[in-house]
């Protein structure tokens, strides 16, 4: 995964972003509109959170979150983990995303998604993710995804690129 | 938490107004701005009008993959509810979304094809498009757990029928 030339491997964005992790979502209007937040990042991994909100409910009779908002949080967490696995800023795009819903989210509780980019080639990233309320042993959803790297000419936010020194 | 609403009662065949009321009753569908109508054959056509808050990448710009995924899942659920003997909300067991093109900042439409509507489980394929229905921007397939009374009200049309 290191970038050739026999020198020290370049640091990945997940190691460089540090206190600026909030920038990873600040450029994503939908994430801001629904209240997603970055809890933690590291090399090739990210944890996002989403507090329960009445307007994110899928079944008005039970108050359970819509599966679609969990899908959106997982998609964003996977994309963030991919960015955290990069050594330089490039665009990332979801190719596919499979989600297994293990149990309904509990009304009123915050959802967390831990995503890990466990393999990266020149053009494709492979990610797995788990959605839960804080107990990974009692997960809400399990997911696998593939992302394309360099899918278009726009990189993620210029602000992030500046913060990680690129 | 506020008082829970009841779902609107649906009668068969499901009318455009009924399916519209159903979408209005789902808070997250309202947040995405999703509405639905039915075509002449009774198939649900879901509509997600463009809105700034649906954007995932403002630099392209492109719709958030999660909003497209959620829209596909909603479309499948709306079609299943329209077909069910008793209204209720199916639960998603799994869904796989394939992203084919980036979603442009414009209106998006979707329809679902129910491959199997059993007594407990349904298998559904969904397609979303923007300008050209023959060039989908995303497709999905998923399994849904049907609630009590969730079997199809009308047996699916056969080649003979």
């Amino acid at each position: 995964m290191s970038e050739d030339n026999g020198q020290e491997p370049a640091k990945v964005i997940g190691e460089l972003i540090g206190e600026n992790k909030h920038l990873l979502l600040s450029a994503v209007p939908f994430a801001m509109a629904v209240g997603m937040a970055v809890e933690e990042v590291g090399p090739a991994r990210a944890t996002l959170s989403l507090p329960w909100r009445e307007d994110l409910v899928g079944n008005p009779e039970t108050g359970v979150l819509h599966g679609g908002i969990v899908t959106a949080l997982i998609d964003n967490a996977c994309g963030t983990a991919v960015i955290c696995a990069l050594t330089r800023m490039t665009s990332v795009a979801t190719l596919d995303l499979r989600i297994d819903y293990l149990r309904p989210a509990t009304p009123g509780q915050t959802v967390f998604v831990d995503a890990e980019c466990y393999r990266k080639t020149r053009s494709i990233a492979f990610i797995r993710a788990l959605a839960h309320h804080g107990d990974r042993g009692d997960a809400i959803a399990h997911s696998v995804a593939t992302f394309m790297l360099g899918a278009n000419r726009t990189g993620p936010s210029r602000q992030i690129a500046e913060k990680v020194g690129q | 938490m506020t008082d829970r609403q009841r779902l609107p009662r649906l009668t068969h065949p499901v009318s455009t107004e009924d399916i519209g009321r159903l979408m209005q009753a789902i808070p997250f569908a309202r947040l995405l701005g999703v509405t639905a109508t039915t075509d002449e054959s009774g198939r649900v056509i879901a509509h997600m009008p463009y809105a700034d808050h649906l954007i995932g990448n403002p630099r392209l710009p492109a719709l958030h993959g999660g909003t497209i995924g959620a829209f596909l899942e909603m479309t499948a659920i709306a079609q299943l509810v329209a077909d069910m003997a008793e209204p209720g909300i199916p639960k998603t067991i799994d869904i796989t979304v394939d992203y084919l093109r980036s979603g442009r900042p414009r209106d998006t439409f979707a329809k679902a094809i129910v491959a199997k509507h059993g007594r407990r489980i349904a298998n559904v394929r969904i397609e979303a498009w923007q300008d050209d229905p023959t060039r989908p921007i995303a497709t999905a397939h998923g399994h849904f757990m049907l609630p009590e009374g969730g079997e199809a009200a009308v047996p699916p049309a056969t080649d003979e029928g």
Side-chain angles (χ1 to χ4, degrees):
Chain A
M1 248 170 63
S2 68
E3 235 126 275
D4 53 74
N5 69 20
Q7 291 172 7
E8 212 174 299
K11 281 198 169 176
V12 293
I13 287 163
E15 294 171 278
L16 297 170
I17 195 98
E19 289 167 10
N20 303 300
K21 63 189 181 205
H22 65 278
L23 288 177
L24 291 165
L25 286 186
S26 64
V28 184
F30 182 70
M32 302 313 287
V34 295
M36 293 183 196
V38 180
E39 293 291 323
E40 211 186 316
V41 294
R45 63 181 180 80
T47 299
L48 265 56
S49 65
L50 179 75
W52 184 92
R53 249 172 46 178
E54 187 79 48
D55 60 355
L56 305 178
V57 162
N59 185 339
E61 296 186 343
T62 59
V64 172
L65 287 179
H66 196 284
I69 188 62
V70 179
T71 302
L73 183 67
I74 289 173
D75 180 47
N76 221 320
C78 290
T80 307
V82 175
I83 289 171
C84 288
L86 300 173
T87 50
R88 52 178 298 114
M89 296 305 284
T90 183
S91 65
V92 305
T94 320
L95 280 181
D96 77 3
L97 180 67
R98 180 199 161 104
I99 300 178
D100 291 336
Y101 288 97
L102 308 176
R103 70 169 183 88
T106 307
Q109 288 197 20
T110 296
V111 179
F112 298 92
V113 174
D114 302 325
E116 174 200 11
C117 174
Y118 65 93
R119 172 81 186 157
K120 184 168 72 75
T121 71
R122 284 167 68 93
S123 50
I124 306 291
F126 300 88
I127 309 96
R128 53 188 163 221
L130 199 68
H132 56 87
H133 286 309
D135 176 4
R136 289 177 52 93
D138 187 22
I140 300 161
H142 176 264
S143 179
V144 288
T146 56
F147 274 63
M148 189 175 173
L149 308 177
N152 56 67
R153 272 184 226 100
T154 71
S157 156
R158 185 176 302 119
Q159 271 181 301
I160 302 171
E162 282 166 8
K163 294 293 179 193
V164 299
Q166 292 181 13
Chain B
M1 262 180 267
T2 58
D3 290 343
R4 295 281 153 236
Q5 294 170 280
R6 300 299 300 175
L7 286 171
R9 303 299 299 180
L10 300 185
T11 49
H12 293 279
V14 172
S15 69
T16 292
E17 291 72 34
D18 286 341
I19 206 76
R21 272 203 296 278
L22 172 75
M23 299 313 274
Q24 275 300 307
I26 299 175
F28 188 54
R30 286 204 302 273
L31 186 139
L32 292 186
V34 172
T35 59
T37 56
T38 46
D39 67 11
E40 57 287 348
S41 64
R43 183 186 299 289
V44 172
I45 306 292
H47 177 204
M48 183 167 71
Y50 173 72
D52 289 343
H53 71 275
L54 302 180
I55 289 290
N57 181 341
R59 289 166 35 108
L60 279 174
L63 295 179
H64 194 285
T67 65
I68 298 170
F71 178 52
L72 290 164
E73 189 173 329
M74 253 171 221
T75 306
I77 289 172
Q79 182 67 61
L80 288 172
V81 174
D83 294 345
M84 276 162 33
E86 295 283 334
I89 297 209
K91 286 183 189 150
T92 312
I93 300 166
D94 65 65
I95 187 161
T96 305
V97 184
D98 289 324
Y99 293 91
L100 309 176
R101 300 180 170 80
S102 81
R104 303 227 166 157
R106 58 185 65 156
D107 290 13
T108 310
F109 301 88
K111 66 174 180 187
I113 294 123
V114 181
K116 173 161 185 203
H117 191 137
R119 207 165 43 80
R120 294 165 60 202
I121 307 277
N123 178 305
V124 188
R125 287 184 287 129
I126 318 106
E127 273 185 14
W129 69 93
Q130 292 186 321
D131 302 317
D132 181 354
T134 66
R135 285 170 57 85
I137 62 163
T139 60
H141 65 95
H143 290 95
F144 296 84
M145 179 75 73
L146 300 167
E148 194 82 16
E151 67 275 5
V154 197
T158 60
D159 288 341
E160 297 87 58

